[in-house]
Amino acid sequence: ETGVTQSPTHLIKTRGQQVTLRCSSQSGHNTVSWYQQALGQGPQFIFQYYREEENGRGNFPPRFSGLQFPNYSSELNVNALELDDSALYLCASSPGQGARTEAFFGQGTRLTVV
Amino acid sequence: AQSVTQLDSHVSVSEGTPVLLRCNYSSSYSPSLFWYVQHPNKGLQLLLKYTSAATLVKGINGFEAEFKKSETSFHLTKPSAHMSDAAEYFCVVSAPGGSARQLTFGSGTQLTVLP
């Protein structure tokens, strides 16, 4: 059984550019969530996808968007990058969307905006 | 609404001594609670979870936590610290809200283990 994998591991972008981060969920998991972890802080919930539909969103602007594909892999897209978008972006997959289900995290993508 | 407060941003212990990482939560619903650990340049690993069964929860690597509803606490303990326990620890609350399960993280506790 493979775990959650994210790509790329590191990325440097210029302010104003757009970026796409990718996540392959663990086998059998139909729910994917994305989190942003700024330096020295706990992860913040961006949004969740369940069976290809966004069904929950945190306090992030619309320039943060995502997709989930039929194989349950997912993308996070960020447009018009700002310096404050520099962070570790974590993807988590789980076998369901219930509150008691465990989330399995990938190792993250470190995004630096210059 | 739900929130988590980790009462100590840094905890330092000597190897072989007990570890106590404190966490208080607030939730409008009956919560599920988790502790995750994050080693440098690594993803988050689940240590243990409480989901309304036994209030004393045992996890991996000798960690355990006790859910105390009256105190709204979920403190993490370990009888004897090991050097490999040095890491960032996050207390997390999960509560059903609409159709999505949102994890709310505390700000983290950095555990240092001294030789």
Side-chain angles (χ1 to χ4, degrees):
Chain A
E1 162 179 291
T2 57
V4 179
T5 57
Q6 294 185 241
S7 62
T9 55
H10 294 82
L11 200 53
I12 300 175
K13 288 287 190 178
T14 303
R15 188 172 50 183
Q17 286 188 315
Q18 178 266 343
V19 69
T20 297
L21 310 182
R22 295 178 174 81
C23 172
S24 293
S25 60
Q26 189 160 320
S27 177
H29 289 187
N30 57 18
T31 302
V32 173
S33 304
W34 286 90
Y35 291 80
Q36 180 196 66
Q37 186 179 16
L39 198 62
Q41 297 181 23
Q44 300 287 317
F45 176 72
I46 302 175
F47 44 57
Q48 175 175 290
Y49 280 83
Y50 172 67
R51 294 186 175 179
E52 303 178 56
E53 296 287 331
E54 181 184 303
N55 69 342
R57 189 175 186 92
N59 188 26
F60 281 82
R63 60 189 186 83
F64 285 78
S65 63
L67 284 172
Q68 188 180 30
F69 300 100
N71 66 355
Y72 302 133
S73 65
S74 177
E75 286 183 355
L76 165 65
N77 299 290
V78 186
N79 294 321
L81 283 166
E82 301 176 0
L83 297 179
D84 285 348
D85 295 334
S86 296
L88 180 68
Y89 288 85
L90 295 163
C91 168
S93 75
S94 53
Q97 58 178 338
R100 294 184 171 85
T101 55
E102 177 183 340
F104 293 80
F105 284 82
Q107 292 192 319
T109 294
R110 174 74 62 186
L111 172 65
T112 302
V113 183
V114 297
Chain B
Q2 56 198 38
S3 66
V4 175
T5 302
Q6 291 185 242
L7 300 170
D8 306 291
S9 58
H10 291 85
V11 169
S12 183
V13 301
S14 296
E15 189 175 22
T17 64
V19 176
L20 170 64
L21 305 183
R22 299 182 295 166
C23 171
N24 287 114
Y25 71 91
S26 173
S27 176
S28 303
Y29 303 91
S30 179
S32 294
L33 293 158
F34 307 81
W35 276 97
Y36 281 85
V37 61
Q38 187 175 37
H39 291 275
N41 301 314
K42 300 282 189 180
L44 292 158
Q45 181 184 20
L46 181 70
L47 282 177
L48 50 79
K49 63 180 178 181
Y50 166 78
T51 58
S52 79
T55 56
L56 182 61
V57 181
K58 294 187 183 299
I60 62 171
N61 300 334
F63 285 95
E64 63 181 38
E66 185 172 7
F67 173 72
K68 292 186 176 180
K69 185 175 181 179
S70 61
E71 299 176 10
T72 61
S73 69
F74 190 58
H75 301 334
L76 181 70
T77 60
K78 182 174 181 177
S80 177
H82 191 273
M83 295 296 289
S84 61
D85 294 329
E88 185 92 23
Y89 290 79
F90 292 98
C91 182
V92 182
V93 62
S94 170
S99 57
R101 183 279 318 275
Q102 175 175 336
L103 298 181
T104 300
F105 284 73
S107 55
T109 298
Q110 181 68 47
L111 176 64
T112 300
V113 182
L114 303 171

